[in-house]
Amino acid sequence: MSEKKYETPLLDELEKGPWPSFIREIKQEAERPMVRDLLGVLERSYEEHIGHWKHGGLVGVMGYGGGVIGRYSDLPEEFPDVSEFHTFRVNQPAGWFYTSGALRDLCDIWDKHGSGLTNMHGSTGDIVFLGGKTTSIEPVFADLTEKGWDLGGSGSDMRTPSCCAGPARCEWANYDTLNACHEITQAYQDELHRPAFPYKFKLKFAGCPNDCVASVARADMSIIGTWKDEIQIDQEQVRAYAARGMDIEREIVELCPCDCISWDGQAMEIADGECVKCMHCINHMPKALRPGKERGAAILIGAKAPIVGGALLSSVFVPFLEMTPPYSDLRELIEAIWDFWGEHGKNRERVGEFIQRVGLGKFLEQIGLDPVPEMIAHPRSNPYIFFDDEIVAGAEA
Amino acid sequence: MSEIAVAQVAEAMYDLVKSTHGKKNLKPMDLTKAMIEQFGEGCDKQICKQAIRELIDSGRCIYSYVGGSYITLPPTATA
Ligand code: SF4
Ligand code: SF4
């Protein structure tokens, strides 16, 4: 075991200031040789402006193709205790709700087998254990499963689905995000643990268009709560906001992107047919306005971070879907997409890039959806949808 | 044509993984397409999924990650 303690002048800079510091946190565990070597190799990376990790390879638990990300140092002689520094992704509970006992179990398992360092949570949503040796992989998995935990996704599989706190804490949830996330995770255990896709596929569940899980920027499929009918207005509360000094004209009416709110000093009216559910008015007047009563979710497809090609935001695919268990419509859609993209997607091609390549019209035809106006991101943009001859003939007749 | 047995497909997949080892990385869909071509209409995606499960669960093949997920032989089988 390495006894050497490294000087880390560059990392020490990152402890300065009032904000949280990952270096300060790592140093708390620095009595462990693995953590000392981690600080050493990190200081080296800051000096040389290059990373010293290689990732990938053959690490995993028996039967699974995801959940453990192999990570190796390219300086194993100098930093032997981080020669293997694998990452474990553990499937988080829906909405990230824990009991203190559950957190203790997780920490005890990781103290026993790994570096003791965690990342709560990774950007996909998983609980992340940082830094384990190859020999620790099966023992970690055995201890996790004994306590009722399981690994999450990695590689070319369905990544661990995640959701916002939804109805557990938030009055704006238009469906039960926690239940939907849990049910979909359970339904697709094979797709989560046994990578069979061209590349990763992320599902994120947000209860309303505020999208607290940032699904439009990150998920291949975003399931965003919405409503079909009218925004519920409590006129008395609207007047109370005005009486407390809110300039409703300036702060609400003028900032509605659809110009569909009016206020005459006594009553507020909303032309709901024009509303795009941006949540601005509801966010600003939570006591006076609420989403409608006919609730469900809009399904958006195709977001991704800029790793291979550029970044993509997701676009509307299904404007409204009822979201009640067992979520049969949602599952049918997910499976149709996986089937087509799974067979024809290129290696490392996300579903959004795939749609760009094959064209939206062809994609819709293959998964059995009809084009609708909500799929058009900008007025007069060409959605590349060509109507069948018989439809055109019918229209001309 | 009657349905092909999962074990038969698994065996053919294993042979393909073995013959391409070190030369070409195969994804599950590559194996699936190759099997459907080899066995014809008696073989489908579902049978191939089960065959892959059999290969992985028995330890004859493992998943590897090289920029994407592939099916390969375990290190002991190639040593
Ligand atoms: S996305 Fe909407 S429902 Fe979910 S927590 Fe945020 S505001 Fe609440
Ligand atoms: S939700 Fe947005 S678009 Fe709809 S009425 Fe309110 S501010 Fe306007």
Side-chain angles (χ1 to χ4, degrees), chain A residues 133-176:
Chain A
K133 302 241 172 246
T134 306
T135 49
S136 74
I137 293 174
E138 289 290 351
V140 170
F141 184 59
D143 284 2
L144 282 171
T145 48
E146 197 199 319
K147 294 285 182 186
W149 298 95
D150 198 354
L151 293 179
S154 68
S156 308
D157 63 8
M158 177 184 83
R159 296 300 180 82
T160 318
S162 74
C163 64
C164 73
R169 293 196 60 198
C170 183
E171 61 196 295
W172 290 327
N174 288 281
Y175 71 96
D176 189 341

Side-chain angles (χ1 to χ4, degrees), chain A residues 200-204 211 214-222 300-306 310-315 350-353 355:
Chain A
K200 61 183 97 168
F201 190 92
K202 297 186 178 187
L203 286 147
K204 292 192 188 293
D211 193 14
S215 69
V216 285
R218 304 188 310 182
D220 297 276
M221 181 183 265
S222 319
L300 288 80
I301 301 283
K304 65 177 269 297
L312 288 174
L313 295 178
S314 55
S315 15
R350 296 282 287 269
V351 77
E353 296 164 321
I355 294 171

Side-chain angles (χ1 to χ4, degrees), chain A residues 56-58 62-65 155-156 190-191 194-198 339 342-343 347-348, chain B residues 27-29 33 45 49 53 56-59 62-65 67-70 72 75:
Chain A
L58 299 174
M62 178 80 174
Y64 283 22
S156 308
D190 250 8
E191 287 74 9
R194 296 169 183 269
F197 298 148
D339 198 48
E343 190 170 335
N347 190 26
R348 285 169 72 80
Chain B
K27 292 182 88 77
M29 188 47 74
K33 284 179 181 169
K45 284 184 188 172
K49 193 174 170 183
R53 173 188 281 270
I56 297 289
D57 289 355
S58 65
I62 58 167
Y63 289 104
S64 72
Y65 185 83
S69 300
Y70 297 93
T72 186

